[in-house]
Amino acid sequence: MKRADIAPFLIAISQDNPTPQTELVYSTPFTLLVAVVLSAQTTDVAVNKATPGLFAEAPDAAAMAALGAAGIARHIRSIGLWQAKAKNVAALSHLLLERHAGVVPDDRDALEALPGVGRKTANVVLNEVFGHATMAVDTHIFRLGNRTGLAPGANVRQVEDGLVARIPKAMLRPAHHWLILHGRYVCKARKPECWRCPGAQWCVYRPKTLSEAEHI
C-alpha cells in the first residue's frame, strides 16, 4: 500500500468507530493487564465470560496474590492454557506488590518483566490505559499488515515496526484497535469480506472477494 493511501484507508475503516476501545471487559489497569494475559490464544469473548467472577473475588494485585494459582484456576478453566495462565497471573500479582506497590507500571520494560507479559501484552496495556501510541500485533494485525500491504513483514516485530513507521503519528494509537476490529469482523482469516470493506479501494490484496455469493 502506498504511504499516501494509509490515512484514507484508516479513515475509511474507522467511520463507524472513531474512538475504539478493547473488547476485553475491565475496570482498572490491573484487571486489564490480567484480562490481556488471559486472552493469549483465546478469544476476548471467552475471557469476558471467565473474568467477572475472578475480578469480583480478586479486583487488585493483593487479592489476586492471596487467591493464588489454585484459586485463580477455579475461575478460568473454560479458557485455553488455563493452568499456565493461573500460575502467571498469581506470579505477576506477587511481583506487582513487591516491585510496584501493586500498581501497574507505565513502562514497557517493567511490564515485560512480569510473568506472562510479552511485548504484545505490554503494548495493549500501554495503549489502552496509558495512551501510548503503540501497536500490539496479534494474528489479525499481522494478517492485515501483510494482506493489505500496510506493513508487510515475515514476523510480528517486522509488521509492528512497519506500522509504527508508516501510520501517521496522530492515528497510530486508535489504529491499533481499528485494525484488530477490522481483521476480526471484515478482513477475516479464511476469506476477507471485501464486498463490504470501506477501505477496499486502497488495499493491495488480490483477488478481492467482491460479493457475498463469491465468499460463500
Side-chain angles (χ1 to χ4, degrees), residues 92-107:
L92 75 81
S93 299
H94 282 288
L95 278 184
L96 281 176
L97 293 169
E98 292 174 9
R99 298 179 181 178
H100 308 288
V103 177
V104 175
D106 179 8
D107 177 80

Side-chain angles (χ1 to χ4, degrees), residues 99-121:
R99 298 179 181 178
H100 308 288
V103 177
V104 175
D106 179 8
D107 177 80
R108 176 185 300 284
D109 290 340
L111 284 168
E112 290 188 28
L114 299 171
V117 180
R119 185 176 181 87
K120 185 185 77 171
T121 296

Side-chain angles (χ1 to χ4, degrees), residues 153-176:
N155 55 58
V156 293
R157 186 57 189 272
Q158 287 180 4
V159 171
E160 177 187 338
D161 290 345
L163 291 169
V164 170
R166 302 190 80 218
I167 290 175
K169 293 190 185 308
M171 305 180 79
L172 186 56
R173 186 190 179 207
H176 162 245

Side-chain angles (χ1 to χ4, degrees), residues 127-144:
N127 183 296
E128 178 76 15
V129 173
F130 298 113
H132 292 210
T134 58
M135 182 59 63
V137 178
D138 67 352
T139 56
H140 298 298
I141 293 184
F142 181 75
R143 180 173 69 254
L144 260 67

Side-chain angles (χ1 to χ4, degrees), residues 32 137 199 205:
L32 176 66
V137 178
Y205 175 71

